[in-house]
Amino acid sequence: MPLAMAMKGESRTVTSLVGAGEMKQHLAEMGFVPGQKVTVVGENPAGIILQVKGVRLALNRSLAQKILVA
C-alpha cells in the first residue's frame, strides 16, 4: 500500500520505492529505505507529516504515493 494511504497515528514499514533512479535515491537519502519504520504524525490536504529515524518530515501526497509500506 502507498504511504499516502496511511492514517494519522499509524506506524508502517517501508517495503519498496517506486519511481526513477533519482527519485528513489532522494527518498533513500531522506531515510525511506526498505525495513525502515515510518510513523504518520499528522496530515492535511496538501500532504502528510512523518517521523522517520527520529526526524519529522513533510511530504506531499504524490511523493508519499511512491513509498510502498506494509
Side-chain angles (χ1 to χ4, degrees):
M1 127 176 157
L3 182 57
M5 294 178 65
M7 303 300 287
K8 182 178 177 182
E10 287 185 338
S11 291
R12 299 289 181 158
T13 302
V14 176
T15 56
S16 64
L17 305 174
V18 177
E22 290 179 11
M23 178 68 65
K24 287 182 181 180
Q25 180 66 32
H26 179 65
L27 290 171
E29 289 171 355
M30 292 172 61
F32 298 100
V33 293
Q36 181 61 49
K37 182 180 172 184
V38 179
T39 302
V40 179
V41 178
E43 58 184 315
N44 61 39
I48 57 178
I49 301 168
L50 307 165
Q51 183 157 346
V52 181
K53 295 185 175 183
V55 176
R56 287 187 180 198
L57 301 168
L59 288 181
N60 64 33
R61 292 202 181 271
S62 65
L63 194 54
Q65 199 67 21
K66 298 181 182 303
I67 303 168
L68 301 181
V69 296

